[in-house]
Amino acid sequence: MAELLTIGEVARRSGVAASALRFYEERGLLESERAGSGHRRYPRAVLRRIAFIVFAQRIGLTLAEIATELERLPAHRAPTRRDWGRLSTAWSSRIDARIAELERLKEGLTSCIGCGCLSLDRCQLANPGDRLGAEGPGPRAWVGADD
Amino acid sequence: MAELLTIGEVARRSGVAASALRFYEERGLLESERAGSGHRRYPRAVLRRIAFIVFAQRIGLTLAEIATELERLPAHRAPTRRDWGRLSTAWSSRIDARIAELERLKEGLTSCIGCGCLSLDRCQLANPGDRLGAEGPGPRAWVGADD
DNA sequence: CCTTGACTTCAAGTTCACTTGAGCTTGTAG
DNA sequence: CTACAAGCTCAAGTGAACTTGAAGTCAAGG
């Protein structure tokens, strides 16, 4: 097995499309060396980095946020336990917040909505405070992504 | 207080921008009567319908899905307990699935990632099976939205 | 009568996370 | 040596959910 991987191999192994890998590079989430031909060559460690990205995405972070986190991590060393510790704390509370919201919504589904009281006047379930202000153009931040 | 509300009043009361309300109407999620002037007039029941939409969005449904649900509900009557029951079951399991994923991710955050084993080869956390296939163009479906 | 604010439509712009296509080069298998 | 797969760049398209802007109408106050 070769020391360096081509973009196609990385795509197959990670399940992330080659076009997406190039896109991530453009956005500063990944780096690559180049073969003489100009073709990308990835060290095997890139797979861990990609796993990190996919993981973070499923938690609900945007690529911009993930890029910021990645910048704080050591670029070429494996991250230490301390590095993970900081991340872990921040992400955990993010996950907790989203879970809490989902549980609140679920509760509303059976009680508040079930009894027919769903109403913007009387019920805060559908409108948890912060939603009342517009947050600029474009699609709204991902459901629960910025809690 | 008037029997019928203007779009401005509905926007204020619901926290949803007037432009969004027009957009929802275009997409078939809302209806409105028109005053002689051509201005929209909403019966007060629209607030409940909007609450429903916002609620469903926070659960993670797309507007298209919400439109489908709304079509199955009685257009002008208040929905019955039976109507809610069906919805409640479907949405609850959706919420449960997403919560389960978040808990799995959180677990991975402290154990699998914490110990440094995050790897696409050895660890399924970041890549829960279905993610390996592309799902067409556009941004990926919402994290966990179609589980 | 005039202004101001709320409303109308319709087209075009915005963000996010990519994908697709055009046009060209590189690497490998027969 | 010739296919043809795989890679490259760069520009433009996609879908979701809206917002913004232009250009015009309507209703109420002074």
Side-chain angles (χ1 to χ4, degrees):
Chain A
M1 194 195 297
E3 181 60 23
L4 293 174
L5 307 170
T6 66
I7 196 170
E9 282 168 326
V10 174
R12 261 192 311 283
R13 280 157 167 279
S14 67
V16 173
S19 61
L21 295 174
R22 291 192 199 98
F23 179 73
Y24 290 165
E25 185 169 331
E26 202 182 300
R27 291 303 187 84
L29 284 93
L30 295 180
E31 284 175 45
S32 63
E33 298 160 35
R34 296 303 179 111
S37 59
H39 289 189
R40 287 173 179 79
R41 284 300 123 90
Y42 297 95
R44 217 181 281 94
V46 82
L47 292 173
R48 174 190 285 259
R49 202 173 170 91
I50 293 168
F52 180 92
I53 294 169
V54 172
F55 188 92
Q57 274 191 304
R58 293 205 71 83
I59 286 178
L61 282 83
T62 64
L63 290 186
E65 290 172 317
I66 298 171
T68 307
E69 295 292 357
L70 284 171
E71 269 164 35
R72 283 194 233 154
L73 288 180
H76 295 297
R77 298 186 292 100
T80 67
R81 205 157 293 240
R82 184 165 307 225
D83 293 325
W84 286 122
R86 186 180 42 72
L87 262 181
S88 172
T89 307
W91 291 12
S92 276
S93 56
R94 195 160 173 147
I95 292 176
D96 287 341
R98 180 61 179 150
I99 288 180
E101 187 192 10
L102 286 171
E103 250 143 23
R104 201 164 45 76
L105 288 169
K106 191 180 163 188
E107 163 63 17
L109 203 50
T110 51
S111 68
C112 179
I113 297 192
C115 79
C117 89
L118 180 58
S119 146
L120 286 170
D121 296 333
R122 291 186 285 162
C123 180
Q124 284 302 302
L125 269 171
N127 194 357
D130 61 314
R131 223 203 148 273
L132 276 165
E135 281 169 3
R140 254 173 224 297
W142 193 226
V143 171
D146 47 7
D147 287 358
Chain B
M1 197 196 296
E3 181 60 23
L4 293 173
L5 306 170
T6 67
I7 197 170
E9 282 168 326
V10 174
R12 262 191 310 283
R13 280 156 168 281
S14 67
V16 173
S19 62
L21 295 174
R22 290 194 198 96
F23 178 72
Y24 290 164
E25 185 169 331
E26 201 181 300
R27 291 301 189 85
L29 284 92
L30 295 181
E31 286 175 44
S32 62
E33 297 160 35
R34 297 302 177 112
S37 57
H39 289 189
R40 287 174 180 79
R41 286 300 123 92
Y42 296 95
R44 216 180 281 94
V46 84
L47 291 174
R48 173 188 286 258
R49 202 172 169 92
I50 294 168
F52 180 93
I53 294 169
V54 172
F55 188 93
Q57 273 191 303
R58 293 206 70 84
I59 286 178
L61 282 84
T62 64
L63 289 186
E65 290 172 317
I66 299 171
T68 307
E69 294 293 356
L70 284 170
E71 268 163 36
R72 284 196 233 152
L73 289 179
H76 295 297
R77 298 185 291 99
T80 67
R81 205 156 295 238
R82 183 165 310 226
D83 292 325
W84 287 121
R86 185 180 41 73
L87 263 181
S88 174
T89 306
W91 291 11
S92 276
S93 56
R94 196 159 174 147
I95 292 175
D96 287 341
R98 179 60 179 150
I99 289 179
E101 186 191 11
L102 287 171
E103 250 143 23
R104 201 163 45 76
L105 288 168
K106 191 180 163 188
E107 164 62 16
L109 203 50
T110 51
S111 68
C112 179
I113 298 193
C115 79
C117 89
L118 180 58
S119 147
L120 285 170
D121 296 332
R122 292 186 285 161
C123 180
Q124 285 301 304
L125 269 170
N127 193 357
D130 60 313
R131 220 199 152 275
L132 276 163
E135 282 170 1
R140 255 172 222 300
W142 183 224
V143 171
D146 47 9
D147 287 358

